[in-house]
Amino acid sequence: MAWQPGQIIDADGLNNPTPTTLTTGVTAATGWQVALQTLDIVSGVRIANVTLNRTGADITNPGGTSGNITPDIELCTLADDWRPPDDLYVACSTGIGSGSMRVQHDGSCQWLTWIPGANVTSGSNMRWTWTFTRRGA
């Protein structure tokens, strides 16, 4: 793999150019079940994909009239390999509704916003992805 502009060259990238994929490390909160979890690690860059299936009761209009979810709702926790060095704010979606998620450096994934008036029904799949590098890797 050739160096690309903006790519960080570090020991992890030089010593491990072969892609690695982890398929464990996400623990769903009550009312959710992990449907997909992949963490691809290539030359020090980590690309995480999570899909949680809503197994609990329908969540009626979690964003209210403003879109803000108060308090934030923890949907899952992440093992160390999945954790970014700083909190990240990313989009999430069921394919019908959309909102935002905070992926925290302590491993908590919290649901922050949701389109006003939209429900999340039992059986819905909540999806989000994020990309990061580890400091000092």
Side-chain angles (χ1 to χ4, degrees):
M1 176 184 292
W3 178 83
Q4 299 293 318
Q7 181 179 15
I8 297 172
I9 297 177
D10 59 15
D12 185 42
L14 293 174
N15 294 327
N16 298 301
T18 303
T20 300
T21 300
L22 303 178
T23 56
T24 61
V26 178
T27 303
T30 301
W32 298 90
Q33 181 178 25
V34 177
L36 171 78
Q37 55 182 318
T38 60
L39 178 66
D40 295 316
I41 305 169
V42 182
S43 297
V45 176
R46 294 167 185 249
I47 304 127
N49 286 292
V50 173
T51 299
L52 297 181
N53 180 264
R54 179 69 184 156
T55 57
D58 292 358
I59 302 173
T60 304
N61 194 17
T65 58
S66 70
N68 186 39
I69 297 173
T70 305
D72 303 337
I73 299 172
E74 185 172 307
L75 297 188
C76 66
T77 55
L78 307 170
D80 185 63
D81 285 330
W82 295 71
R83 298 176 183 183
D86 296 304
D87 295 352
L88 298 175
Y89 296 84
V90 299
C92 60
S93 175
T94 61
I96 296 173
S98 61
S100 66
M101 187 79 59
R102 179 175 48 235
V103 180
Q104 295 189 169
H105 70 280
D106 68 0
S108 174
C109 289
Q110 296 178 342
W111 190 17
L112 306 176
T113 64
W114 198 247
I115 187 169
N119 299 332
V120 175
T121 58
S122 185
S124 295
N125 286 312
M126 180 72 75
R127 302 171 187 92
W128 69 101
T129 187
W130 66 99
T131 302
F132 65 101
T133 59
R134 304 284 296 259
R135 291 188 186 119

